[in-house]
Amino acid sequence: MARLLGVAVVVINPSMLYLCPTALTEPVLIAAMAMCLAGLSGVITRQRVSSSGAVAVFCGIPAALAALSRYEGWALCLTGAVLVAAVVWRRTRS
């Protein structure tokens, strides 16, 4: 229920309704960042180390889409890479 409410808040938001029909790339950036953050939260909360393919699909591809859509996506790419490296290093160290 919370996921549907979250999607409804983003879709029904008047500023999002304004941005979608324009030729701007903010909606693509917002969607890609949301997908990447969901993938990163999955990597962090898993009890075991995620495979590199899963990290690439659920974090890397949305981060690349965010970076290609707008320049703000590069900050997500850099911080996401540091976060994944720190989580993998900490789990493999113990």
Side-chain angles (χ1 to χ4, degrees), residues 23-40:
L24 302 174
T25 57
E26 283 88 358
V28 175
L29 176 69
I30 292 169
M33 289 181 102
M35 288 187 294
C36 184
L37 291 174
L40 286 172

Side-chain angles (χ1 to χ4, degrees), residues 19-80:
L19 287 175
C20 285
T22 60
L24 302 174
T25 57
E26 283 88 358
V28 175
L29 176 69
I30 292 169
M33 289 181 102
M35 288 187 294
C36 184
L37 291 174
L40 286 172
S41 68
V43 168
I44 293 169
T45 58
R46 290 183 77 170
Q47 296 298 324
R48 58 185 176 85
V49 177
S50 299
S51 69
S52 58
V55 174
V57 169
F58 296 118
C59 302
I61 293 173
L65 182 63
L68 290 173
S69 67
R70 289 185 56 92
Y71 63 90
E72 291 95 346
W74 285 103
L76 177 68
C77 289
L78 293 175
T79 55

